[in-house]
Amino acid sequence: MGHGGNVIDELVTDHREVEELFGKIEALPPGHKDRKLYADQATIELVRHSVAEEAYLYPAVREHVANGDALADRELRDHAEAEQMMKDLEGCDAGDAEFDRLIGMLMSEIREHIADEEQNLFPLLRAACGPEELDRLGDKIRQAKKTAPTRPHPAAPDKPPANKLLAPGAGMVDRLRDALSGRGKAD
Ligand SMILES: [Fe+2]
């Protein structure tokens, strides 16, 4: 399934892509250098997904769903925890024992987030919003994710800012979040 459709279809597609990356990490033996590569790709996907959800999904949940504030607040807490794990992962090499510990924690945290959204939050939003609103939010979310480059690639542009943004290593999560959310820019 490709990207497109309403907000729920779009975010579920993101979830499947992240699960695919997790599967690739788990299929490799501990210490394999590509585990770090896939972890960086998952981090990029997850930051884009989080920023888009924070900009458009959770405000809609607060507006349309009964008890939506509490639901949105819980999801935001989960995002903050996952983001801290991704920041801690930035400094680890695939060969570090700490890498294995953190990636294990991150995968279980994200899998819980995915199950929670798909089993609880999305059905509530679908019941509370009309199809036009869900489609409109889908367009907004796609727009938000397009604002920054997608993932490091051998053919990635080698001039700033894209190469700086996507260069793995310390600060990647913050650089991505700033670029995607416009954080730090005067508004
Ligand atoms: Fe999500």
Side-chain angles (χ1 to χ4, degrees), residues 52-148:
E53 285 189 338
E54 288 163 24
Y56 296 106
L57 176 67
Y58 303 143
V61 167
R62 291 182 196 279
E63 186 182 339
H64 299 291
V65 176
N67 208 20
D69 280 332
L71 288 169
D73 287 343
R74 192 180 68 205
E75 301 290 345
L76 286 173
R77 267 198 309 276
D78 290 349
H79 279 196
E81 280 175 27
E83 206 156 295
Q84 188 55 54
M85 291 175 204
M86 292 189 277
K87 285 183 184 180
D88 293 343
L89 257 181
E90 288 176 349
C92 297
D93 290 325
D96 300 345
E98 185 66 358
F99 177 90
D100 294 336
R101 192 183 73 84
L102 287 167
I103 194 74
M105 272 168 57
L106 180 68
M107 289 193 292
S108 83
E109 170 78 23
I110 295 298
R111 282 168 171 152
E112 266 176 46
H113 161 86
I114 288 175
D116 185 40
E117 283 194 341
E118 294 187 9
Q119 287 160 26
N120 302 314
L121 197 72
F122 293 167
L124 288 170
L125 188 68
R126 195 188 293 277
C129 279
E132 301 82 18
E133 176 68 357
L134 293 177
D135 284 343
R136 192 186 69 83
L137 289 167
D139 290 339
K140 291 276 186 197
I141 291 253
R142 270 186 293 282
Q143 204 59 44
K145 287 192 299 180
K146 253 192 236 151
T147 328

Side-chain angles (χ1 to χ4, degrees), residues 2 11 14 16 25 28-29 89 98 104-105 123 125 130 140 148 165 170 174 178 183 187:
L11 294 172
D14 285 353
R16 296 293 87 78
I25 291 169
L28 291 166
L89 257 181
E98 185 66 358
M105 272 168 57
L125 188 68
K140 291 276 186 197
L165 206 61
D174 281 330
D178 288 351
R183 190 175 68 177
D187 36 17

Side-chain angles (χ1 to χ4, degrees), residues 44 47-49 51-52 144-149 165 175-183:
I44 291 167
V47 174
R48 294 169 70 221
H49 179 83
V51 169
K145 287 192 299 180
K146 253 192 236 151
T147 328
L165 206 61
R175 280 181 303 196
L176 274 170
R177 177 170 275 282
D178 288 351
L180 284 159
S181 66
R183 190 175 68 177

